[in-house]
């Protein structure tokens, strides 16, 4: 498996993909492990604006076990306000993780372990099954090229069904689509490179269907 990331683009009201990355690269991290990471009891580093963890960074400090150096979290989540969230079911040891470097959530994009050299084997660290929610995923009006945010119109267009089909086609497991918030939730077994471009789905790496 190469660089672990997932990329999607808006599905227009005719079922095609529409380009437009928005501000995908506005939050690219230039941080690195520093003394700031050591200030957290578990050595966890996360300073980018808008990013959050569940449990909170403060609570993660109280979960940390200094005897064995572990910070074992049940259903750990990391998200970015108004962009999306990734949840890792089961126990995850997040001790010593520089989340600023490991996880990037952008508009219609999720990157985990962008540096392949630092990516652990499948099943370890954050390279494992996850539930992903991407926000503000709406069809585009063909004439204005603006997102269609009226939930009634979104349903009339059958956009929720198109989202479900697109999820299956990219090898993931569909969970839900909320036309009010444009929130698309699905499950993956591990992270890989996926680019959906118009009606063609290009798989750079095979993604196993999530069955857990």
């Amino acid at each position: 498996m190469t660089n672990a990331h997932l990329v999607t683009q808006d599905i227009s009201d005719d079922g095609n993909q529409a380009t437009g990355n928005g501000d995908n690269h506005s939050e690219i991290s230039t941080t690195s492990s520093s003394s700031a990471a050591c200030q957290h009891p578990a050595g966890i580093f996360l300073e980018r604006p808008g990013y959050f963890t569940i449990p909170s960074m403060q609570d993660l400090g109280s979960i940390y076990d200094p005897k064995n150096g572990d910070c074992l979290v049940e259903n750990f989540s990391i998200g970015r306000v108004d962009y999306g969230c990734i949840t890792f079911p089961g126990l995850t040891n997040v001790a010593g993780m520089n989340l600023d470097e490991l996880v990037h959530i952008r508009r219609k994009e999720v990157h985990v372990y962008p540096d392949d050299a630092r990516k652990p084997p499948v099943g370890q660290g954050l390279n494992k099954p996850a539930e992903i929610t991407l926000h503000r995923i709406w069809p585009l009006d063909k004439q204005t090229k603006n997102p269609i945010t009226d939930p009634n119109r979104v349903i009339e267009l059958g956009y929720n069904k198109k989202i479900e089909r697109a999820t299956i086609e990219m090898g993931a497991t569909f969970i839900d689509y909320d036309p009010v918030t444009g929130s698309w939730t699905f499950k993956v077994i591990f992270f890989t490179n996926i680019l959906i471009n118009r009606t063609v789905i290009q798989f750079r790496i095979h993604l196993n269907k999530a069955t857990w």
Side-chain angles (χ1 to χ4, degrees):
M1 201 167 49
T2 56
N3 292 347
H5 66 268
L6 179 152
V7 181
T8 70
Q9 296 174 317
D10 283 333
I11 302 175
S12 65
D13 53 1
D14 60 0
N16 289 339
Q17 299 293 331
T19 59
N21 294 326
D23 56 347
N24 282 353
H25 302 289
S26 63
E27 57 82 46
I28 293 178
S29 173
T30 57
T31 62
S32 60
S33 298
S34 64
S35 58
C38 298
Q39 295 176 6
H40 190 276
I44 304 169
F45 191 80
L46 181 65
E47 289 193 338
R48 284 171 298 173
Y51 277 81
F52 61 90
T53 61
I54 302 175
S56 67
M57 289 287 284
Q58 181 177 355
D59 289 340
L60 289 175
S62 64
I63 295 172
Y64 174 64
D65 186 348
K67 294 182 180 180
N68 55 27
D70 291 337
C71 185
L72 296 173
V73 183
E74 186 76 26
N75 300 327
F76 173 70
S77 296
I78 178 170
R80 186 182 180 193
V81 176
D82 198 43
Y83 284 76
C85 184
I86 311 172
T87 299
F88 300 90
L91 283 176
T92 301
N93 189 356
V94 297
M97 287 190 177
N98 186 332
L99 298 174
D100 276 346
E101 294 183 348
L102 299 182
V103 180
H104 300 269
I105 303 174
R106 302 167 183 156
R107 188 66 67 208
K108 314 175 194 72
E109 294 185 28
V110 174
H111 299 254
V112 178
Y113 294 107
D115 182 358
D116 189 58
R118 302 184 61 182
K119 177 169 55 65
V122 174
Q124 297 184 21
L126 301 180
N127 190 23
K128 62 179 189 176
E131 181 176 305
I132 302 170
T133 297
L134 300 176
H135 300 312
R136 302 180 65 82
I137 306 298
W138 287 300
L140 295 180
D141 187 288
K142 293 180 180 179
Q143 295 182 341
T144 67
K145 305 302 181 182
N146 293 324
I148 300 172
T149 59
D150 181 347
N152 293 323
R153 187 178 174 193
V154 171
I155 294 174
E156 290 174 359
L157 292 170
Y159 189 67
N160 54 326
K161 296 297 182 182
K162 294 171 184 176
I163 283 285
E164 185 170 358
R165 288 197 299 269
T167 307
I168 296 172
E169 288 173 352
M170 75 180 188
T173 299
F174 177 80
I175 297 178
D176 188 35
Y177 176 73
D178 184 349
V180 176
T181 60
S183 298
W184 175 17
T185 304
F186 54 96
K187 295 190 295 188
V188 297
I189 285 292
F190 54 83
F191 289 89
T192 185
N193 297 332
I194 299 178
L195 171 62
I196 304 178
N197 185 14
R198 303 193 68 83
T199 58
V200 179
I201 299 181
Q202 302 174 344
F203 290 85
R204 299 182 183 178
I205 267 291
H206 177 66
L207 177 67
N208 292 328
K209 289 187 177 181
T211 56
W212 45 273

